[in-house]
Amino acid sequence: MEIMSTLIRVEEDGSISFGDAGLKVKSKQDDFKVEGDVYKVKTWEEITKLERNGLFAYESVPGTNVEHMRVAADQVSFTVSGPQDAEITLGLEAGCEYDIQIDGKDAGSMKTNLGGKLTLSAELEAKDKVEVVVRKA
């Protein structure tokens, strides 16, 4: 598992990376601006949360390291790592059906709740990184 040098950063490809599952103390960074969006990240070993423009975007329990997150109108993709399996919740469009792929394998379809949240599990213990792709069906 890679250690993050900052709580949030922009990658050369324009995606964002955030979180630090190795922190023993809660840490946060506010007002991180990327292409007109404003991000806020809170992270430590127990939880990682991301807000985009004041709205819920990502949460994992326990904390995770997220790399190369890309958010489009019909898809969210990222790689995730952490010291143990994690439950990940994404903030998406309410009441929509999404197809989920984890490490290139079909993980089924889910419908978001009225708040637009979709929750999935990522098995991280045995792997260095797991790729997650969530596409609007």
Side-chain angles (χ1 to χ4, degrees):
M1 179 179 72
E2 180 182 331
I3 301 296
M4 300 282 278
S5 59
T6 60
L7 297 183
I8 186 167
R9 68 178 184 252
V10 178
E11 301 293 349
E12 288 183 16
D13 65 4
S15 63
I16 63 166
S17 296
F18 61 93
D20 190 337
L23 289 174
K24 301 291 182 197
V25 178
K26 291 180 194 179
S27 297
K28 71 178 182 175
Q29 184 170 343
D30 295 333
D31 298 322
F32 187 83
K33 296 177 175 112
V34 181
E35 295 181 6
D37 292 316
V38 180
Y39 292 90
K40 176 180 181 180
V41 65
K42 295 179 191 176
T43 188
W44 66 310
E45 64 186 4
E46 292 187 23
I47 192 168
T48 296
K49 287 182 87 167
L50 180 74
E51 292 179 6
R52 179 178 168 207
N53 300 325
L55 300 173
F56 175 87
Y58 175 98
E59 179 179 276
S60 70
V61 176
T64 53
N65 300 343
V66 179
E67 296 178 83
H68 298 283
M69 179 180 251
R70 293 188 170 281
V71 178
D74 62 346
Q75 178 175 304
V76 175
S77 63
F78 55 91
T79 57
V80 62
S81 61
Q84 56 189 321
D85 297 349
E87 181 177 276
I88 297 170
T89 303
L90 300 172
L92 303 168
E93 188 176 337
C96 290
E97 187 87 16
Y98 289 88
D99 295 324
I100 302 164
Q101 281 193 329
I102 299 177
D103 263 357
K105 295 179 182 152
D106 183 17
S109 294
M110 292 180 77
K111 190 173 185 178
T112 55
N113 65 18
L114 293 176
K117 292 184 179 178
L118 182 142
T119 302
L120 58 101
S121 294
E123 296 178 7
L124 303 176
E125 284 186 63
K127 299 185 177 190
D128 189 31
K129 294 179 185 177
V130 172
E131 182 182 4
V132 177
V133 178
V134 177
R135 284 189 188 94
K136 199 173 195 180

